[in-house]
Amino acid sequence: DLHIESIKKFSELHPKPTELHFQYGTAGFRTLGSTLDSVVFRVGLLAGLRSKKLDGRTIGVMVTASHNPEQDNGVKLVDPRGEMLEASWEAYATSVANAPTTDALIDALQTLVQTVKIDLSKPAKVVYARDTRPSGPALISALEDGFKALGVEARDAGVTTTPILHYLVKAINTKGSKESYGEDSEEGYFRKLSEAFKKLIAGKAKPEPLVIDCANGVGALAAAKFAEYLGDTLPISLVNTSISSPGALNNACGADFVKTMQRLPSGLGDLLKPGQRACSLDGDADRLMYYYLDERGSFHMLDGDKISTLVATFIVDLVRLAGLDSEIKVGVVQTAYANGASTKYLAARLPVKCVPTGVKHLHHAAEHYDIGVYFEANGHGTVLFSQSTQDKFAKHEPSTPAQSTALNHLVNLTQLINQTVGDALSDMLLVEVVLAHKSYTGIEWNSLYADLPNRLVKVVVADRNAFKTEDAERRLVSPSGLQARIDELVRKYEGGRSFVRPSGTEDVVRVYAEATNKTQADELAFRVAGLVY
Ligand code: NG1
Ligand code: ZN
């Protein structure tokens, strides 16, 4: 049964704040950490039920608010293959989180059990972790109360990155099978990735040190541990590692700051020589931004689109060199936020698809390719190798030493890349591999194409739900008439492109604009914002 008495007892300790409404969005539940106690408790119950529904396979729970300010927190569920929670459960999660009382909570849970036909006699297993936020420990206690209330067998993965938690979920669920994803521990993750990295860069010139901005978050812990496994194969220097200074997390640093402000994070100014590459992680180490300063001290950003281009073209070349280009097709997935110049560069070389914002959309679209590369412009992304592609790698008999080398590189890439989710540390090693193979500095990488100047602005509106989109969020269908007025404006700007969509994570509408020069991009963004307001 549902352990109703036990759920009731624990639920009384975690009452829902009456005035608040919670929504399981693209990033799970995310809001002020101090308001999330009841939500996280209930997510503990949901995780247990999700595991029972999936025959006792292990579900992941991550407590993080990623790049958001330190006082925020959030919680999301990870499905057994290390993927985001199946979309149909987002609505169940929302209704369970919003049940106003303990009795209403019991009703919502019973409705869920009946609707999706959960066999309550099945075991429930969960692995969970948190980032470094001050509100984390208390929220973890609430989560553990949820586990106790339902009798979940729970494993605490401690303080770790979001992508490592995703890795653990997949490793636990594939343990002992022929699809084993690796040892189910943080050490197993570091070992797997560092071994693949060492094979991939064997014989390449040793790079100059890479400076990593850890956003004063959990990435600092993971990167420091990783450095021990990487040894001198990749000299790194960590900055913004103050995980316990109040207010430091994501403050004037980290991948989101760099992408949004298009400038150097604090703490790096004196460290970088001209041309030396550096990168920023976000607060839970799933996003990555590269950049460098040129001789004149100007800042150059290498964002998710630049990473996507670099990686996709490298993989296409390897597939061809391995003699597999007639059998294996590489494709790229982007969102409307991808810089128009990146789309143009990629589309001249391989299939490119545009999907709505949100990792789950990119991930699912990438699964349709033999090898699918996906990155959001903000630096979140990964590469997926389909099972049949991996089988082809295993069976293919290379006919020349060059083919054999390329094939080995491809196999090692499948080990280096965290295929469950975007992973800043894994992506960073991937970028380093490509740069080493191509003998590129950041400057050569950046010169593959020139970004179109662009501007992103937020507009606070009375009701963002009034904004409905189509064509992968590139066009508005409502409010009626607005799209036609945007089109009219865009036509006045050389190389102009602009779109408007409601944010899925903040109560705002976002306006994006591009044009051939910066002043025009800014002006277009603000004029479109003026139409929205
Ligand atoms: P919203 O708030 O829906 O724009 C933001 C990011 C997404 C994605 C999600 C999840 C932008 C413009 N949007 O979504 O790319 O990362 O957060 O964290 O960067
Ligand atoms: Zn993140």
Side-chain angles (χ1 to χ4, degrees):
D1 70 339
L2 195 55
H3 300 261
I4 290 173
E5 287 317 312
S6 139
I7 294 173
K8 278 188 174 166
K9 188 186 85 191
F10 279 105
S11 172
E12 292 303 320
L13 304 173
H14 303 282
K16 179 186 172 290
T18 37
E19 69 287 10
L20 297 178
H21 181 267
F22 302 102
Q23 193 179 343
Y24 197 102
T26 40
F29 294 107
R30 192 178 291 183
T31 183
L32 261 186
S34 57
T35 66
L36 274 168
D37 180 80
S38 65
V39 172
V40 175
F41 164 71
R42 292 169 185 203
V43 166
L45 302 172
L46 280 161
L49 291 176
R50 180 89 185 131
S51 174
K52 285 177 185 284
K53 167 66 189 168
L54 299 176
D55 212 13
R57 291 206 288 159
T58 297
I59 296 296
V61 179
M62 184 70 201
V63 174
T64 178
S66 185
H67 56 279
N68 285 28
E70 186 168 295
Q71 64 276 17
D72 285 6
N73 216 325
V75 62
K76 61 185 167 190
L77 292 163
V78 179
D79 263 355
R81 289 189 302 145
E83 295 172 318
M84 304 283 166
L85 176 68
E86 184 192 289
S88 66
W89 272 61
E90 293 179 5
Y92 304 134
T94 300
S95 74
V96 166
N98 289 301
T101 61
T102 291
D103 287 338
L105 170 63
I106 301 288
D107 286 348
L109 293 171
Q110 275 168 338
T111 305
L112 172 60
V113 168
Q114 279 153 23
T115 315
V116 302
K117 301 191 178 63
I118 298 171
D119 178 352
L120 292 170
S121 68
K122 296 281 184 185
K125 294 184 195 143
V126 176
V127 57
Y128 60 103
R130 66 174 173 93
D131 68 16
T132 55
R133 276 161 213 277
S135 58
L139 291 176
I140 289 289
S141 307
L143 182 71
E144 290 169 341
D145 275 359
F147 297 151
K148 285 180 213 150
L150 201 77
V152 172
E153 188 187 312
R155 170 173 158 185
D156 184 0
V159 177
T160 196
T161 72
T162 296
I164 291 179
L165 192 266
H166 284 250
Y167 166 91
L168 287 174
V169 171
K170 185 161 183 175
I172 291 168
N173 286 308
T174 55
K175 203 170 177 171
S177 81
K178 76 177 199 319
E179 283 118 57
S180 168
Y181 197 58
E183 228 180 286
D184 61 331
S185 63
E186 224 183 30
E187 296 72 35
Y189 165 93
F190 293 131
R191 213 172 291 131
K192 176 181 171 178
L193 271 63
S194 58
E195 278 170 14
F197 179 73
K198 285 174 188 166
K199 289 180 194 160
L200 280 158
I201 57 148
K204 305 290 169 199
K206 193 165 135 185
E208 62 178 310
L210 171 65
V211 176
I212 308 176
D213 156 27
C214 299
N216 296 314
V218 67
L221 299 173
K225 291 182 202 165
F226 219 159
E228 290 173 28
Y229 289 81
L230 293 167
D232 60 2
T233 53
L234 180 65
I236 58 180
S237 139
L238 305 180
V239 291
N240 294 329
T241 57
S242 309
I243 56 167
S244 45
S245 315
L249 178 67
N250 296 325
N251 188 1
C253 62
D256 193 63
F257 172 86
V258 171
K259 176 66 179 166
T260 312
M261 306 304 290
Q262 309 193 14
R263 63 177 161 90
L264 209 61
S266 74
L268 269 76
D270 304 332
L271 271 173
L272 291 183
K273 291 184 290 178
Q276 185 180 4
R277 74 220 181 293
C279 64
S280 287
L281 320 176
D282 74 340
D284 63 342
D286 61 357
R287 289 191 190 180
L288 178 68
M289 280 288 142
Y290 265 75
Y291 40 87
Y292 63 90
L293 298 177
D294 65 20
E295 298 287 344
R296 290 159 48 218
S298 298
F299 173 80
H300 297 271
M301 182 169 69
L302 296 149
D303 66 358
D305 302 332
K306 292 274 180 180
I307 296 173
S308 175
T309 333
L310 181 78
V311 166
T313 50
F314 178 65
I315 292 177
V316 167
D317 287 346
L318 283 180
V319 169
R320 185 174 39 77
L321 290 171
L324 284 164
D325 45 334
S326 60
E327 293 170 59
I328 293 175
K329 297 290 173 223
V330 184
V332 177
V333 186
Q334 300 187 312
T335 72
Y337 291 107
N339 193 279
S342 75
T343 311
K344 193 173 160 200
Y345 180 90
L346 284 166
R349 292 164 177 81
L350 69 179
V352 182
K353 191 168 168 31
C354 182
V355 300
T357 306
V359 177
K360 66 177 178 214
H361 296 117
L362 290 120
H363 194 93
H364 289 148
E367 284 176 326
H368 292 292
Y369 294 117
D370 299 323
I371 302 176
V373 178
Y374 74 83
F375 277 87
E376 291 190 295
N378 63 29
H380 185 116
T382 186
V383 182
L384 305 181
F385 298 82
S386 74
Q387 191 53 53
S388 80
T389 298
Q390 300 196 49
D391 294 344
K392 277 175 195 159
F393 290 165
K395 281 204 307 269
H396 184 58
E397 285 178 14
S399 44
T400 63
Q403 283 197 355
S404 168
T405 305
L407 182 64
N408 276 331
H409 290 333
L410 285 167
V411 171
N412 289 326
L413 285 180
T414 66
Q415 300 296 304
L416 179 72
I417 295 167
N418 186 344
Q419 295 181 54
T420 62
V421 75
D423 179 336
L425 293 173
S426 164
D427 291 338
M428 179 188 85
L429 295 183
L430 174 59
V431 166
E432 292 299 314
V433 164
V434 185
L435 296 180
H437 276 245
K438 300 212 175 224
S439 309
Y440 278 175
T441 63
I443 299 164
E444 282 118 5
W445 172 16
N446 197 29
S447 68
L448 293 180
Y449 66 85
D451 272 323
L452 281 172
N454 58 86
R455 184 68 187 248
L456 182 61
V457 294
K458 295 182 196 187
V459 187
V460 179
V461 294
D463 176 18
R464 75 179 148 131
N465 295 316
F467 292 77
K468 304 252 185 290
T469 62
E470 61 178 2
D471 188 25
E473 302 180 322
R474 288 173 290 191
R475 299 189 60 80
L476 282 174
V477 289
S478 88
S480 77
L482 187 50
Q483 185 61 49
R485 296 170 67 201
I486 296 171
D487 291 342
E488 197 186 312
L489 257 185
V490 167
R491 272 196 296 275
K492 297 183 180 144
Y493 290 80
E494 196 194 330
R497 182 170 77 93
S498 180
F499 63 91
V500 173
R501 58 174 279 281
S503 163
T505 61
E506 285 176 74
D507 195 11
V508 296
V509 162
R510 297 196 200 282
V511 175
Y512 177 89
E514 260 173 27
T516 40
N517 74 60
K518 181 68 182 146
T519 323
Q520 300 266 292
D522 289 345
E523 188 183 294
L524 179 57
F526 284 104
R527 289 181 73 183
V528 172
L531 295 179
V532 166
Y533 187 66

